[in-house]
Amino acid sequence: MATMKAVVLRKPYEVEVMEVPKPEITDPGSVLMRVDLTAICGTDLHPFEGRVAIEDDVILGHEFIGTIEAVGSAVSLVSEGDRAVASCVVSCGHCYNCRRNRPGQCMGTMIFGLGVTFGGLSGGQAEYVIVPNADRTLRRLPEEGQGNDEDKLFVGDIMATGYEAVRKFIQPGDTVAVVGAGPVGLCAAMAAGVLGASQTIVVDKVAARLKEAESIGAIPVDADETDPADAVQDLTDWRGADVVIDAVGHPSALLSACSLVRSGGAISIPGVYTEDSIDLPFGDLYLKGVTIGQGVANITNFMDETLALIAAGKLDPSRFVSHRMPMSEATEAYRMFHDHEATKIVLDPAR
Ligand SMILES: [Zn+2]
Ligand SMILES: [Zn+2]
């Protein structure tokens, strides 16, 4: 039996690079992909830290690009030899929500590398991965030279997620405030510039992250030194931000977002919440008429746009990559990511 190397979560906090069976196509809508690059995402830390309970021995990873090695008989939009990026979320395309353009809320949502609760798909931190519903899940990569591979890698998750979070609420000229300068927050800030924000304010407490934000033209606010609400008020004629992005997924970030948004504005939440309930100043939000948008991102709706903007040189999320490592060092990579020693780690399965 053919085997491959894969990053396996044996149990919480125990990641091992193991030799496992090489997967095979069993469904006509699937493709077998050789993974060229894969990344570790903040969401991978949910099962890693045991905050999302998944079964033992799951192959992790939902951000990857690769080369198609074999296609199922029902696949028509990609062929053997094509290079493609996969949406981290797999949707069916024909349920009630998919037909209403909400693939993130597909009745049969599957996410790579998050265990049986999310469809039992093996992840992309491996030499090979099976991509179901490939015509819908994959996008062929633009030609060589139009953006680099790492930029395109992030179209399957953090870039499309940050982009959608801004795009669903922004009007040209708006002030966008981003709470949390992690990878999704930085992608959202980058998207805000492309989508017509007059100014983008990024709130964090980590100097290196604020520096990244500044390097893409955002106004950094260090929450340890300045009250973010005061800073945003100063920059908006005392209105507050038109659109506030909670890119953290922690109740304290959401509370901060509530204090930054103007009346009639919107809070958009790409950050992931697993809490049963959260205390919010709901009367205040009601009186301010604040719109709140959240939920699993509708990645496939925004892959074409973000790939085109990457090809045009207008989005370059690869600048946020802090570490490039061989996949064989994934155990150490997870430790570093968990200990906040890395902003974004890309793994090379061939090394
Ligand atoms: Zn992710
Ligand atoms: Zn569906």
Side-chain angles (χ1 to χ4, degrees):
M1 184 178 55
T3 63
M4 66 166 186
K5 289 194 170 51
V7 178
V8 178
L9 184 65
R10 305 303 311 270
K11 56 185 192 201
Y13 294 103
E14 203 179 307
V15 160
E16 192 179 329
V17 181
M18 293 172 68
E19 203 69 38
V20 300
K22 180 178 169 182
E24 285 173 9
I25 294 175
T26 54
D27 172 273
S30 298
V31 307
L32 172 67
M33 199 174 207
R34 192 184 73 235
V35 179
D36 295 331
L37 283 179
T38 177
I40 303 179
C41 174
T43 304
D44 293 325
L45 291 181
H46 289 262
F48 180 78
E49 293 167 358
R51 282 178 287 135
V52 169
I54 64 174
E55 65 274 21
D56 292 342
D57 295 336
V58 167
I59 300 176
L60 293 170
H62 55 264
E63 284 182 323
F64 54 92
I65 57 171
T67 306
I68 292 165
E69 193 168 276
V71 300
S73 56
V75 175
S76 58
L77 298 180
V78 291
S79 341
E80 211 182 297
D82 282 347
R83 301 192 68 232
V85 55
S87 162
C88 57
V89 180
V90 176
S91 57
C92 74
H94 45 71
C95 73
Y96 189 91
N97 285 341
C98 282
R99 293 201 312 275
R100 279 152 189 78
N101 229 16
R102 294 294 294 266
Q105 283 68 51
C106 171
M107 312 322 212
T109 292
M110 298 188 281
I111 302 179
F112 292 96
L114 284 180
V116 289
T117 316
F118 290 94
L121 299 183
S122 287
Q125 289 166 12
E127 288 183 285
Y128 294 90
V129 64
I130 294 288
V131 178
N133 211 357
D135 282 341
R136 201 174 155 78
T137 310
L138 293 177
R139 294 293 183 279
R140 267 203 308 256
L141 298 184
E143 299 295 311
E144 293 289 334
Q146 298 189 323
N148 65 44
D149 273 2
E150 288 176 354
D151 289 328
K152 298 164 195 166
L153 165 64
F154 298 134
V155 162
D157 186 8
I158 57 169
M159 189 65 247
T161 298
Y163 184 87
E164 180 188 25
V166 176
R167 189 182 179 286
K168 65 183 168 189
F169 293 117
I170 194 171
Q171 306 277 338
D174 274 356
T175 293
V176 175
V178 178
V179 180
V184 170
L186 290 168
C187 284
M190 180 179 269
V194 171
L195 291 166
S198 59
Q199 55 183 352
T200 304
I201 301 159
V202 174
V203 179
D204 204 292
K205 294 177 176 176
V206 180
R209 291 178 162 204
L210 289 167
K211 216 168 167 181
E212 289 279 3
E214 198 171 14
S215 79
I216 57 166
I219 302 163
V221 172
D222 185 335
D224 275 339
E225 287 173 5
T226 312
D227 179 352
D230 286 348
V232 169
Q233 293 285 321
D234 279 348
L235 288 160
T236 56
D237 284 336
W238 302 95
R239 286 190 305 268
D242 302 292
V243 180
V244 182
I245 309 295
D246 167 8
V248 180
H250 186 277
S252 63
L254 194 47
L255 275 177
S256 176
C258 294
S259 73
L260 303 185
V261 68
R262 73 163 162 84
S263 56
I267 296 175
S268 185
I269 312 174
V272 176
Y273 282 88
T274 52
E275 286 83 351
D276 287 329
S277 69
I278 292 176
D279 276 332
L280 285 180
F282 218 80
D284 184 46
L285 291 172
Y286 178 84
L287 290 172
K288 284 166 85 175
V290 171
T291 303
I292 297 180
Q294 35 87 36
V296 173
N298 297 290
I299 303 285
T300 47
N301 290 0
F302 299 100
M303 292 170 85
D304 296 313
E305 278 177 47
T306 47
L307 275 177
L309 288 165
I310 285 168
K314 297 192 176 190
L315 294 173
D316 59 343
S318 64
R319 64 189 297 143
F320 306 132
V321 175
S322 59
H323 293 75
R324 295 166 177 88
M325 298 169 72
M327 194 179 77
S328 57
E329 290 171 20
T331 306
E332 171 64 1
Y334 268 87
R335 186 205 61 74
M336 291 168 62
F337 198 58
H338 170 256
D339 290 342
H340 305 293
E341 289 172 21
T343 313
K344 191 72 187 174
I345 302 177
V346 171
L347 301 173
D348 180 354
R351 288 165 60 215

